[in-house]
């Protein structure tokens, strides 16, 4: 039997095995490893090491963000409409893995070029990376509600994926600098690329499978109906708005922590890793607890509790005067973050089930794609909040550590009060989430 025919004939008939669950979840590690490395260091690499003009790199990053946002719903809709002997999602993932990893590696290995050529290289390679990333990651996400069919299965099945994802985020932040310091940027890219490729291929071969009979045989839903049913879905609208508020809160916190450590706690910049480490350290074990909690309640109830814990814990960032005290607050924040990571996709899967019951179409791609498009707005909101708070408090980078007293208060408001406001809006959105049972049907 050839490789292609083996993939074509592979179908899931019952609940996934533990081995399949772990293998599917392993995809979270390489995708988050590449995402975190790219977002944390690509601007630094091109501006500080390659001497590209900062304003041109900023424009290129804006183009990257816009392309990524637009691609999500487009690729999602195309994936839902695809009909092949190998399924809807598997062909996209299988064809996208190698271009994704190659493009990621090439981002860090530009040839000797003048400034214009360097920016052109950046734009082209990052565009390929964006397309391949959305193609692979969105279709992996769209497989989740199909592989795991009930709240019980999804609560258990999402645990490995979120834990692998957090580990990828941590290593993308911590391992990448160690590698480029010791071996250089090209070697860093090759090492991370080989690890990512190996993990993705294993996950694809051992954990990614579509269900027999999961897709109706009739023609796909018309484009106009796709949009109408998505944006008038009574469950999806409050969900996606709540998701945007949550993602904005998290983005603001991550952006504010370096300022908080240096200008409020008056500690070394590197101590920011202690706070982030505390959040991640608490998030990983809490995911298991949230898995048990949602199996005994419902996605809506669990989300309301997780958002409340997250918001109240974030508010405590107003108080600490030391890094240790802030790290203790970070542990509480991490419990809420673990809940949000675990529960958001479970709730979205429930919405997809409800939509399929009403329309007769499984439209995981569109829902994950539109959600991805909307939550990209968190980056914009985070940038607006940071600029407004820092300017209003009188922050001036030229003053170094000798900032006005108002800066400390402004940064604490940015880290604690503003995220609480967005979290309160998220809680209100999830309160109006209409599916109150464990499963949609």
């Amino acid at each position: 039997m050839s490789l292609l025919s083996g993939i074509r004939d592979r179908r899931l008939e019952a609940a996934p095995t533990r081995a399949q669950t772990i293998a599917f979840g392993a995809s979270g590690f390489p995708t988050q490893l590449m995402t975190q490395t790219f977002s944390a260091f690509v601007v630094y690499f091109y501006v500080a090491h390659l001497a590209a003009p900062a304003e041109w790199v900023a424009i290129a990053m804006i183009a990257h963000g816009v392309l990524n946002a637009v691609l999500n719903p487009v690729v999602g809709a195309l994936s839902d409409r695809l009909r092949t002997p190998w399924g809807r999602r598997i062909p996209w993932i299988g064809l996208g893995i190698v271009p994704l990893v190659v493009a990621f590696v090439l981002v860090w290995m530009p040839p000797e070029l003048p400034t214009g050529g360097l920016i052109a290289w950046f734009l082209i390679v990052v565009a390929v990376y964006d397309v391949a990333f959305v193609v692979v990651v969105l279709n992996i996400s769209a497989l989740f509600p199909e592989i795991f069919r009930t709240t019980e299965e999804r609560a258990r099945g999402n645990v490995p994926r979120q834990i692998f994802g957090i580990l990828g985020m941590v290593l993308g932040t911590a391992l990448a600098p160690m590698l480029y310091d010791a071996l250089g940027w090209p070697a860093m890219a090759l090492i991370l690329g080989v690890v990512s490729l190996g993990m993705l291929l294993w996950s694809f071969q051992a954990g990614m499978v579509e269900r027999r009979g999961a897709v109706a045989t009739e023609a796909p839903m018309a484009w106009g109906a796709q949009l109408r049913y998505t944006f008038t879905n009574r469950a999806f609208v409050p969900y996606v708005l709540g998701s945007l508020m949550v993602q904005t809160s998290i983005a603001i916190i991550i952006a504010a922590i370096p300022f908080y450590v240096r200008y409020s706690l008056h500690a070394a910049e590197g101590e920011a890793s202690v706070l982030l480490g505390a959040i991640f350290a608490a998030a990983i074990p809490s995911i298991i607890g949230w898995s048990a909690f949602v199996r005994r309640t419902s996605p809506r109830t669990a989300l309301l509790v997780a958002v409340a814990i997250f918001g109240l814990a974030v508010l405590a960032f107003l108080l600490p005067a030391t890094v240790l005290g802030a790290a203790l607050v970070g542990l509480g924040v991490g419990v809420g973050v673990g809940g949000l990571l675990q529960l958001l996709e479970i709730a979205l899967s429930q919405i997809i089930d409800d939509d399929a019951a009403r329309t007769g179409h499984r439209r995981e791609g569109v829902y994950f794609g539109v959600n991805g498009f909307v939550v990209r707005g968190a980056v914009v909101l985070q940038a607006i909040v940071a600029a407004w708070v820092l300017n209003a408090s009188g922050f001036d980078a030229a003053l170094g550590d000798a900032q006005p007293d108002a800066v400390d208060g402004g940064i604490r408001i940015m880290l604690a009060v503003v995220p609480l406001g967005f979290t309160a809006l998220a809680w209100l959105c999830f309160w109006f989430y209409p599916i109150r049972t464990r499963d949609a049907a």
Side-chain angles (χ1 to χ4, degrees), residues 33 91 166 170 227 241 252 343 345 373 434:
L33 180 67
I166 291 174
V170 172
L227 295 174
L241 292 176
I252 291 170
L343 299 169
E345 286 196 3
F373 175 82

Side-chain angles (χ1 to χ4, degrees), residues 9 31 38 151 176 220 236 279 322 435:
D9 297 334
T31 55
F38 181 89
T151 296
F236 181 67
I279 293 172
T322 65
I435 305 174

Side-chain angles (χ1 to χ4, degrees), residues 148-154 294-295 297-299 346 349-351 353-354 433 435-441:
F148 306 99
R149 298 166 296 177
T150 65
T151 296
E152 178 81 18
E153 289 183 6
R154 289 163 182 164
V294 72
R295 296 199 307 270
T297 54
S298 69
I346 294 175
S349 300
Q350 188 181 49
I351 293 167
D353 292 344
D354 178 68
Y433 180 76
I435 305 174
R436 305 198 173 198
T437 56
R438 281 206 310 164
D439 297 306

Side-chain angles (χ1 to χ4, degrees), residues 360-415:
H361 294 267
R362 297 291 306 185
R363 301 192 302 126
E364 294 94 340
V366 162
Y367 278 106
F368 276 97
V370 173
N371 181 68
F373 175 82
V374 172
V375 300
R376 292 292 295 185
V379 177
V380 177
L381 291 172
Q382 174 265 313
I384 293 171
V385 167
W388 177 74
V389 170
L390 292 174
N391 287 333
S393 64
F395 177 81
D396 184 352
L399 298 176
D401 293 334
Q403 297 292 329
D405 292 340
V407 169
D408 174 32
I411 290 171
R412 289 177 187 268
I413 289 172
M414 179 167 65
L415 181 62

